[in-house]
Amino acid sequence: MDLAPISRTAISDTIFVRLVEEILTGRLPAGEALPSERELALTLQVNRHAVREALKRLQQAGLIRISHGGKTRVLDWRESAGLDALTGLAVAGAIPTRQIIGDVAVMRRSIAADAARLCARHATPEQRAAITAAAAAYPVAGDLAAVSDADLTFWTAIIDGSVNIAYRLALNTLVAAYDEMGREAIYALGAAEFADRDAHIALAAAIAAADEDAAYRLADDLLTRFVTACQAGAEGED
């Protein structure tokens, strides 16, 4: 393994990112044993405590398995990692960022459309009122930051109204990934969806009326716009 030394001012975050890139690019393949903490500390010119903290984070991310008294081995990230690996994949260049954004858009459509359906069924009167208010406050036009913030507020209210904790945690992960990959560029790509105030208002009305079928259909139609934009962008790069 050929790793360049890390400056003394770096912390465990830097070590973590360096090793994530090595694993996700395949330079550290699945099944390979990592050097010992002592060897890594000497190679990277850092203290063992920083190495130990980075390795703990790698294990929590599902990228390595630490065996006390044995070798620490690299895992196959496709089998062991979670959604938190999305950002690392983009940074490492293991998978093109545009492909990751497109895959996330498809996942987002599936989750959010179903969340809208569940929200129409389960939301409390207070939650329905919050969704209606979020749609009414949606900007008619304006800068991208204002529109993206309004869209996030709107969908967060719907996810919360779906009463599905897994969907809520997935939303947190996707938002964090978008922020790391550059939310501004992503929202610009999906402008046809994010800037459509009327579509958000119509979806809110369906949820307020407890119309599950309409809520699902309207959400799916709206979210498909971003998926289509991602697919068109990918074709344009071929």
Side-chain angles (χ1 to χ4, degrees):
M1 180 173 59
D2 185 16
L3 293 175
I6 292 176
S7 68
R8 295 183 185 276
T9 58
I11 56 176
S12 62
D13 287 348
T14 305
I15 304 170
F16 173 76
V17 170
R18 179 78 62 81
L19 292 175
V20 165
E21 291 181 356
E22 295 293 315
I23 292 170
L24 295 182
T25 56
R27 291 192 292 269
L28 276 174
E32 182 164 321
L34 288 179
S36 67
E37 286 182 7
R38 178 177 178 277
E39 292 171 323
L40 282 171
L42 288 172
T43 300
L44 300 173
Q45 297 181 16
V46 296
N47 63 66
R48 288 183 64 175
H49 176 73
V51 171
R52 187 174 301 116
E53 289 301 310
L55 292 178
K56 287 180 181 177
R57 289 181 61 190
L58 287 169
Q59 179 170 246
Q60 291 169 350
L63 297 179
I64 64 171
R65 177 181 292 113
I66 298 175
S67 299
H68 297 289
K71 293 287 188 179
T72 294
R73 295 193 178 276
V74 177
L75 299 176
D76 184 341
W77 62 264
R78 291 183 180 274
E79 297 178 359
S80 58
L83 285 174
D84 289 337
L86 284 171
T87 301
L89 288 168
V91 172
I95 297 176
T97 299
R98 179 58 67 87
Q99 179 183 336
I100 294 174
I101 293 172
D103 288 349
V104 168
V106 172
M107 178 181 175
R108 173 177 172 268
R109 176 178 61 182
S110 299
I111 290 176
D114 190 56
R117 178 184 62 81
L118 291 174
C119 186
R121 178 189 303 176
H122 297 299
T124 65
E126 293 75 17
Q127 289 171 326
R128 295 179 201 275
I131 293 166
T132 300
Y138 210 88
V140 176
D143 62 58
L144 195 60
V147 172
S148 64
D149 287 345
D151 182 77
L152 179 57
T153 297
F154 178 77
W155 281 107
T156 299
I158 290 177
I159 296 292
D160 286 343
S162 75
V163 198
N164 187 307
I165 189 62
Y167 284 177
R168 187 61 170 88
L169 296 179
L171 172 66
N172 296 341
T173 301
L174 295 184
V175 170
Y178 275 178
D179 286 341
E180 288 292 331
M181 289 186 283
R183 200 200 299 188
E184 184 174 341
I186 292 170
Y187 273 79
L189 181 64
E193 171 195 329
F194 303 122
D196 192 336
R197 181 175 186 268
D198 290 342
H200 287 76
I201 291 174
L203 174 54
I207 291 173
D211 190 335
E212 297 179 38
D213 292 339
Y216 182 91
R217 175 177 50 79
L218 289 168
D220 186 73
D221 288 346
L222 178 61
L223 297 163
T224 293
R225 300 181 193 181
F226 187 27
V227 174
T228 301
C230 290
Q231 292 171 343
E235 291 172 358
E237 293 179 352
D238 292 340

